[in-house]
Structure formats: C-alpha cells, structure tokens
Amino acid sequence: MTADCSHDRLAPYACNPADTRGRLVPEPESPTRSCFQRDRDRIVHSGAFRRLKHKTQVFVYHEGDYYRTRLTHSLEVAQIARSIGRTLALNEDLAEAVALAHDLGHTPFGHAGEEALNACMEPFGGFAHNDQTLRILTRLERRYAEFDGLNLTWEALEGVVKHNGPLLPLPAGRSLPTTIAAFRDDWDLELHTNPGIEAQVAALADDIAYNNHDIDDGLRAGLFTVDEVAELPLVGPLVREVCDRYPGLERSRLIHETVRRMINAMVVDLVTETRRRLAEHRPGSAAELRSLPLAMVSFSDAMLEAQRPLRAFLRQRMYRHYRVNREMSKCKRVVRALFQLFMDEPNTLPTEWQRDIGKQGGDTDLAVRARHVADYIAGMTDRYALAEHDRLFDLHVKT
C-alpha cells in the first residue's frame, strides 16, 4: 500500500514526493501519507506549534480574544498557501508544511520580544526567529526515540530556512545565523539558490495574510478608521465597491467584506504574475526552478507599488502606535530581565534546563549558557513569560 500523492497532477517544477532528497536520519516512510504530508503532521503535533496559540502577533494575549495570534496567523498563511498551490498545480502539502512551520521560532511578545532577545544575545551570536525555527525543527523538539527535532524532509527544511530567499552570498560584514551555519556541516540546504516553488508561495502567503489581518485587527482595536484606510490605493477602491453594493452596511461587515476582497485581489495578482514568469522562464524541474536568477512566485510591479503605502501606513499607525509601543516596551523589559537573571543565576532555571546546560559545559562557557537561556525564553508563551517574571521578581507570588 502506498500513499496517493496525485503525482500526475503536479507541475513539472513542483516538488514531487517521489523525488524527495529524504530525511537527515533515514526512516521508513508511511504507507498512507506522502513524506510532505508527514512533515505537516509532525509540525501540527509539535509542542512548539501548540505554543503559538498564546504568542503575540501584534497585540499581547490579554488585550482581547479576537486579535490574531501566531497560531491563527500561521493557519491563515497555510490556507492561502494551499489555495495558491492548488491553483498552480504545486505540492499543496509541502506548501502547507512550510507555512505552518515558518513562525515556530518566534519569541513571546512578537517582534518586540525578538528585538530584546537579539540585543541580549548580541555578544553570543545574536538571535533570529528564522534561525530559531531551524533549531526547533532539528534540535529542541524531543519527542522521538531515534533523533532530536522532527526529522523533516530536505525540502521542508530548505523552505523554512530560505523563507526570505537565498542566504548566500552574504552582504559585507554579515554572517550566517548560528544554527543555520552549523547545520550546513550536517546537510547542505543550498543556501545560494532560491527555495522550491512551494516555499516561495508560503513566503508570499505570509505577506498576504499579515497585511490583511493587521488592517482587520487595527480597525477592530480602534487604532485607525475605515475612512483613513480608504485613502490607501489598494484599499480605497475595495471599500467603495463594498459601500456601493451594500449601502448602510454595518461596520464589522464592511471591514470583513473589504479584507476578503483584498486577499482575493492579492492572490489573483500573485497567480497571474507567477504564471507569466513561469511561461517566460519555462523551468522543467524543481531543481531548474531553484537555479533561476529570480523567484518565480511574485506580485506584479503594480501590486508591489500599491502595497508600499499600505505598509507605511501600518508601520506608522499600528506598529508604532503609542498604545502598542507602551505594551511592547513593557514586554522588552520582561525579556531583558528574565535573560539577565538566568545568566546571573542559572540555578533559577528549571532543573532539566540546568542539567542540559551542565552537560554542554554551560557552567563555565557563557556562550553555551546564553544559547540555552535564549532557547528557554524563546519557547515561552506571552502569558508564561509574564507569569515567570512575576514568580521571579514579585515576593508575593509563589514560585
């Protein structure tokens, strides 16, 4: 019995499970699922994926239950990626797996938490959530008897690591993140090439999802108004279209109808431009597509231009809004305080973390200790980080 992978429906440049480069630790494959379906399932069942439920996208968890979290964002990215993959005859399972895994390495408190942890880790190689994702997938998830991590396929790991495109050659003065650099000795992910087309789809599905749900969440939070976003070139025509078709529509429905039209407009544009590039370059295989000098999955120039004012608006009116800044300032202080305490007093870490640090020489090697402390903090949810801070700094809270 073999898994039904519908290989005959895949485009020649799609990643075919029959041609996978396999797993770092060889293991028998499933008789009922393709290797990429199995990757997806391992991600969904991982502890790191579950913890995304209580990790910030923009708003800290206690600000409301309706705002996106890292988990709901990842699910939206996966849905968009899978839809695009089906339209383009790609491997939907691989696109979904990369989409679900792409944010596993995020800290609590979103990008503010990452900025604070990166600053703390600067003397020890820094911290980047994409590098941490690889660390989770290859080291930190400890569920299987025969290997650490999830032992995902080469194609899934490549897609996650090259989420933002090729990593080589490096700009002057830059170096590869620590985990990615070390993993090259175990397995060459061909960091100088573009990722497979499914990973390219997942990356831009990420853009589509966050641009649209940040508008939705920002409007819901009252950080800006419908009239203000209607001044943006990408949003305005769609707001007017909804208002003309549904006069007097209540605000919540107006927002949703506008956002769904924006998602559709961006998806249709991406599919159209991607088909144009594929027709022009005519890659005959996944390997040939990777070796091309530019990505095949892209928005049109017109859509890219229309997105610039939207991103500038969100950056100014949402990400830098004083209410968001105040919350993020508090969150950074929590991360910095936790890091410093654990570095100064590693005996305040949970016993199993102390044991791991000792096994790897972290009692005397500060770089080893710092990386373990970063692993511990990065794995926290928002509410766990806040509770841990209270337990360690408030005498009235029981440890």
Side-chain angles (χ1 to χ4, degrees):
M1 182 178 182
T2 57
D4 177 14
C5 305
S6 303
H7 298 168
D8 57 326
R9 295 202 297 268
L10 291 176
Y13 40 77
C15 290
N16 193 319
D19 300 325
T20 179
R21 303 193 198 186
R23 305 179 188 277
L24 185 60
V25 179
E27 55 179 304
E29 286 298 340
S30 168
T32 59
R33 296 170 294 165
S34 77
C35 57
F36 301 142
Q37 288 175 309
R38 204 174 185 191
D39 284 346
R40 175 203 59 207
D41 296 347
R42 288 183 174 186
I43 292 162
V44 169
H45 287 278
S46 69
F49 185 74
R50 286 195 300 275
R51 288 194 296 273
L52 296 180
K53 176 183 178 183
H54 293 294
K55 288 197 176 191
T56 293
Q57 186 67 23
V58 175
F59 297 99
V60 182
Y61 83 97
H62 61 252
E63 295 187 57
D65 292 334
Y66 287 98
Y67 301 122
R68 267 72 171 190
T69 65
R70 286 286 164 196
L71 179 62
T72 59
H73 166 69
S74 296
L75 293 173
E76 291 179 15
V77 175
Q79 179 272 314
I80 294 170
R82 191 166 190 115
S83 295
I84 294 171
R86 178 170 298 188
T87 301
L88 295 173
L90 308 180
N91 193 295
E92 301 169 40
D93 299 318
L94 179 57
E96 183 179 22
V98 175
L100 291 173
H102 83 281
D103 268 355
L104 290 180
H106 263 290
T107 62
F109 314 127
H111 289 288
E114 179 173 1
E115 289 173 11
L117 192 53
N118 182 46
C120 293
M121 286 293 294
E122 186 175 1
F124 311 106
F127 178 92
H129 76 267
N130 197 44
D131 188 63
Q132 189 70 11
T133 296
L134 180 65
R135 193 167 172 83
I136 289 167
L137 294 175
T138 59
R139 299 186 188 185
L140 298 182
E141 280 286 326
R142 297 174 180 173
R143 304 168 58 84
Y144 298 92
E146 297 183 358
F147 47 80
D148 289 337
L150 302 183
N151 200 32
L152 301 184
T153 60
W154 184 94
E155 291 79 6
L157 292 176
E158 179 226 22
V160 170
V161 168
K162 294 192 279 191
H163 183 67
N164 296 313
L167 279 70
L168 297 176
L170 288 164
R174 298 286 296 276
S175 58
L176 285 172
T178 54
T179 304
I180 294 173
F183 191 73
R184 291 179 74 196
D185 296 333
D186 297 325
W187 218 4
D188 182 10
L189 296 178
E190 299 177 0
L191 302 180
H192 61 287
T193 68
N194 284 303
I197 193 167
E198 289 83 1
Q200 295 181 32
V201 165
L204 291 191
D206 186 20
D207 290 357
I208 294 171
Y210 75 68
N211 276 335
N212 284 279
H213 66 48
D214 284 355
I215 286 180
D216 192 3
D217 285 349
L219 287 167
R220 187 184 295 275
L223 301 183
F224 43 81
T225 67
V226 173
D227 289 341
E228 288 173 315
V229 295
E231 298 297 318
L232 299 170
L234 182 58
V235 187
L238 299 175
V239 172
R240 290 188 287 274
E241 176 188 321
V242 175
C243 290
D244 290 345
R245 184 169 181 178
Y246 305 105
L249 189 66
E250 62 187 278
R251 180 176 175 274
S252 61
R253 295 178 191 264
L254 170 61
I255 293 170
H256 177 70
E257 288 289 340
T258 301
V259 169
R260 66 189 287 257
R261 282 166 171 77
M262 283 182 57
I263 293 173
N264 183 68
M266 295 178 77
V267 167
V268 169
D269 179 90
L270 182 148
V271 168
T272 301
E273 175 62 17
T274 299
R275 282 175 168 161
R276 186 194 70 77
R277 293 187 177 203
L278 289 168
E280 178 181 347
H281 293 274
R282 303 179 67 83
S285 67
E288 188 178 333
L289 182 139
R290 286 187 176 92
S291 67
L292 291 171
L294 76 166
M296 288 293 96
V297 181
S298 178
F299 297 111
S300 67
D301 289 343
M303 179 58 73
L304 289 170
E305 186 63 32
Q307 288 183 60
R308 289 190 183 96
L310 170 60
R311 290 178 172 176
F313 177 88
L314 288 171
R315 185 166 53 250
Q316 187 62 37
R317 298 299 304 278
M318 186 171 185
Y319 312 139
R320 295 178 182 172
H321 193 283
Y322 82 91
R323 282 169 48 195
V324 175
N325 285 342
R326 286 181 175 183
E327 287 299 308
M328 292 303 103
S329 175
K330 289 186 282 187
C331 294
K332 287 180 179 180
R333 278 175 267 153
V334 168
V335 170
R336 288 194 295 264
L338 289 173
F339 184 89
Q340 194 59 56
L341 178 66
F342 292 139
M343 286 297 290
D344 292 343
E345 303 176 40
N347 59 352
T348 59
L349 284 161
T351 302
E352 62 271 21
W353 286 88
Q354 293 184 47
R355 187 181 304 120
D356 284 347
I357 289 175
K359 285 179 180 178
Q360 298 188 35
D363 291 337
T364 56
D365 189 329
L366 288 182
V368 170
R369 184 189 305 175
R371 188 58 60 184
H372 279 75
V373 169
D375 288 340
Y376 181 52
I377 294 173
M380 295 179 180
T381 62
D382 294 7
R383 63 183 184 180
Y384 185 88
L386 293 172
E388 187 79 329
H389 186 270
D390 287 345
R391 286 190 291 266
L392 290 163
F393 290 94
D394 190 338
L395 288 172
H396 297 94
V397 176
K398 292 183 178 180
T399 58

